[in-house]
Amino acid sequence: MMKTEWKICLPAYKLCYALCFVVFFCVIRGVTLTYEIGVALEPAMALFAMLFCANTYTQEISSGRSQIQRLYPMDNRLRSMAERLFLQEIVLLLLSAAGYGLSFLLHRPQTQDTGTEIRIFLIFLAAVLVTLWFWGMLSNFLSCLFRNRWAGIGCCLALWIMTDSSFGKKSFGNWNLFSYALRDIKGLSFSSYYSVSGAAGSYGGTDFHWIYGKILCILLCIGIALMMPAVLKKKG
């Protein structure tokens, strides 16, 4: 079944443009500190996730296969959708990790000791995993709700613009959906960025108040999952 779902939701052209997006973004977006790689990648990959996952189920509607899907038990339909989302999110996570490494190789940012760099990378992976999951699920959910992938993408884009902005940063603070990427390191020196003590050092990886935003994303994902059966039953 997973092989079949892979063929449906991840055709070759989709993988190709996903890879091109990451490569072009990493080439264009410069960084000077390793911290900035995650700051740059998280919102960009969230934007790409909403585009990448929007047609997870709506392709059944546009192709007319949804009439056949309606004959299946709800559990089967939900499992199929979950498998497609899982496969797409795994690909997006691998692309995020590859993008991190590519940015590191292309721009040669200033680095600290190996242990610190590995910790920063692992924290980025954890943060971007939640981000990708949320925006992918939200895009798919809204597309199913409106029975149109572009309507789903449009609603997600409006939310993305609002949260990934100065207004969103000031209004939502640590509860922002991009709390990891919106941590402010303006004016910090390289040494203070990696400091483990003091106000400036709180941005070097020892301050985890940004995790509130990720908790909010997880809670919203749970809410979306609980509402999806009702949406499929009415709109699917």
Side-chain angles (χ1 to χ4, degrees):
M1 284 296 294
M2 291 290 276
K3 185 177 181 180
T4 301
E5 300 298 354
W6 175 280
K7 291 180 179 179
I8 293 173
C9 68
L10 290 168
Y13 78 87
K14 197 171 182 178
L15 294 174
C16 183
Y17 78 67
L19 183 60
C20 289
F21 171 84
V22 173
V23 172
F24 290 151
F25 180 82
C26 292
V27 170
I28 294 171
R29 180 63 160 84
V31 294
T32 55
L33 299 175
T34 50
Y35 170 89
E36 295 174 348
I37 299 176
V39 170
L41 269 177
E42 190 196 18
M45 291 307 298
L47 179 63
F48 189 69
M50 71 177 73
L51 299 172
F52 200 71
C53 299
N55 70 338
T56 300
Y57 186 80
T58 53
Q59 60 184 310
E60 303 290 341
I61 298 172
S62 60
S63 65
R65 293 194 302 265
S66 60
Q67 299 302 320
I68 300 175
Q69 285 276 340
R70 285 177 177 270
L71 301 176
Y72 297 152
M74 181 59 69
D75 288 346
N76 289 22
R77 297 166 68 186
L78 291 172
R79 182 169 60 251
S80 175
M81 182 182 295
E83 289 175 353
R84 293 180 191 182
L85 279 172
F86 174 77
L87 291 171
Q88 291 176 110
E89 297 289 358
I90 290 297
V91 169
L92 289 170
L93 181 63
L94 292 175
L95 286 172
S96 298
Y100 191 102
L102 184 59
S103 290
F104 189 89
L105 292 173
L106 289 175
H107 302 292
R108 300 291 184 179
Q110 299 180 60
T111 60
Q112 191 69 348
D113 61 274
T114 302
T116 300
E117 295 301 333
I118 292 175
R119 184 168 63 251
I120 292 172
F121 174 65
L122 292 177
I123 291 173
F124 161 73
L125 281 186
V128 81
L129 174 60
V130 177
T131 298
L132 292 172
W133 202 264
F134 168 72
W135 289 99
M137 285 191 68
L138 180 64
S139 178
N140 176 61
F141 174 78
L142 292 174
S143 296
C144 291
L145 182 63
F146 296 111
R147 293 178 61 85
N148 186 296
R149 65 175 299 192
W150 297 111
I153 291 172
C155 292
C156 284
L157 182 60
L159 180 62
W160 183 87
I161 292 172
M162 183 178 69
T163 52
D164 185 36
S165 64
S166 298
F167 169 79
K169 181 179 179 180
K170 294 177 181 178
S171 300
F172 306 115
N174 290 319
W175 290 97
N176 192 293
L177 299 175
F178 292 110
S179 55
Y180 171 81
L182 290 177
R183 288 181 294 172
D184 185 11
I185 60 168
K186 183 178 180 181
L188 297 181
S189 66
F190 178 63
S191 58
S192 66
Y193 159 61
Y194 283 106
S195 174
V196 295
S197 61
S202 65
Y203 296 101
T206 57
D207 176 27
F208 285 93
H209 287 99
W210 57 268
I211 205 169
Y212 298 145
K214 299 306 156 193
I215 292 174
L216 177 60
C217 286
I218 293 172
L219 293 176
L220 290 172
C221 284
I222 294 173
I224 290 171
L226 292 175
M227 290 186 290
M228 184 57 76
V231 171
L232 279 185
K233 185 176 181 180
K234 185 174 182 180
K235 301 284 188 175

